[in-house]
Amino acid sequence: MHGDVLLERSTRRQAGGSAETVERLAGQRVSAAVRRGKYLWLAFAEGRDESLLVHLGMSGQLRFQGADAISGGPAATHPADGGPVPDTESHLRARLRFDDGSELRFVDQRTFGYLLATRLVPTPDGGPGGLGSPAPVLPAEVRHIARDLLDPALEPGTAGRAALVARIRTRRTTVKRALLDQSLLSGVGNIYADEGLWRAGVHFERATEALTRREVARVLDAVAAVMRSSLEVGGTSFDALYVNVNGRSGYFDRSLAVYGQAGRPCQRCGAIIVREHFMSRSSYRCPRCQPVPRSSPRRRPVQVTGGAGRAFGTG
DNA sequence: ATGCCTACCTGGGAGC
DNA sequence: TGCTCCCAGGTAGGCA
């Protein structure tokens, strides 16, 4: 493959800038694609310890364009429903071109994401969350990122899952902080944390050390179930900019129980969903299904406007 | 070790 | 219509 970088900022973590990124991936063949949370990397077939690391940031995406779609001009229709494909060309930041004419495009509206050609290094236990699984190689920049919750090594019943539950319980923090802590597990962001906690009926500010093993397991199972159902429908898209590798919007926003649902009734008990400030962002919960723990300070509620309580997205 | 804050960006929607 | 304000899917880094 060969690459070109359209926005220098997208290779800002590369010491030699875009020129170095482009040079290091030139002529390489991809042998594997691996993901941990918003990080993913393409391992190269030649020079076995080289890879291209991609961090998606807040708005990054990789979109695959087959050779036929490219030679036939820009794809004008949605493959499944014939509708228009969202125009994300203005946010195209880099492109990987393959020998057969296909392309992998890095599109990133907010430019928090980046590309980095980097070396894979052995990590004896796979890094945090890697217990109980074979030793993989990882980009050095990702060694502090734990395995994704959907990683087979963290499935229920594995040693990795048991170790994760134990680690969460020894942390002196709150359960949502733990879910978002990339050194414990990855793949869980603000949306899936809130949704999982609602399913499990746990307030985001429960102290992890006060949770039983069973409660931690219930939370992890709930979050993983949310992630799986979301994957089935293509992820969560609030607007046409968020699409999958084929350019399709996800539909999981239709299934959100609490996230972005302030002012609406809880699907389970009918109580009104509330939005609160937590960790400089928003947390949503059902006040009845997820009652405030006795030991926690009450959160400042956020003024809800317009019934739906959503000031963003199209829902 | 943990938590809190800011910074990095672009763009959409609400409200005036 | 156009301005200003607020908000957003994530993470790194600095400081208490």
Side-chain angles (χ1 to χ4, degrees), chain A residues 108-131:
Chain A
D108 187 14
Q109 181 203 111
R110 290 174 69 185
T111 72
F112 290 162
Y114 60 86
L115 308 184
L116 177 71
T118 185
R119 212 152 277 268
L120 297 170
V121 296
T123 48
D125 63 355
L131 297 134

Side-chain angles (χ1 to χ4, degrees), chain A residues 194-251:
Chain A
D194 279 7
E195 291 295 308
L197 288 168
W198 175 81
R199 280 203 196 192
V202 171
H203 189 287
F204 55 82
E205 247 174 354
R206 292 281 303 279
T208 47
E209 56 188 343
L211 292 173
T212 63
R213 262 192 303 266
R214 183 175 298 190
E215 282 176 311
V216 173
R218 184 152 52 89
V219 168
L220 292 178
D221 289 347
V223 175
V226 168
M227 290 162 73
R228 283 200 193 89
S229 348
S230 178
L231 280 173
E232 278 176 19
V233 295
T236 307
S237 305
F238 294 129
D239 58 57
L241 278 181
Y242 284 81
V243 297
N244 72 5
V245 73
N246 297 317
R248 299 199 56 183
S249 267
Y251 288 95

Side-chain angles (χ1 to χ4, degrees), chain A residues 2 34 68 97 118 123 125 169 175 180 213 240 256 263 302 308:
Chain A
H2 294 270
V34 189
D68 47 346
R97 302 172 194 274
T118 185
T123 48
D125 63 355
R169 294 183 68 233
V175 64
L180 298 178
R213 262 192 303 266
L256 294 173
V302 178

Side-chain angles (χ1 to χ4, degrees), chain A residues 94-157:
Chain A
R95 212 161 16 191
L96 303 179
R97 302 172 194 274
F98 299 98
D99 291 348
D100 67 353
S102 60
E103 289 185 4
L104 194 58
R105 296 179 179 170
F106 178 60
V107 175
D108 187 14
Q109 181 203 111
R110 290 174 69 185
T111 72
F112 290 162
Y114 60 86
L115 308 184
L116 177 71
T118 185
R119 212 152 277 268
L120 297 170
V121 296
T123 48
D125 63 355
L131 297 134
S133 60
V137 290
L138 301 176
E141 293 79 6
V142 174
R143 274 181 301 186
H144 66 294
I145 303 292
R147 284 180 188 274
D148 197 279
L149 183 57
L150 296 185
D151 191 306
L154 291 187
E155 271 172 20

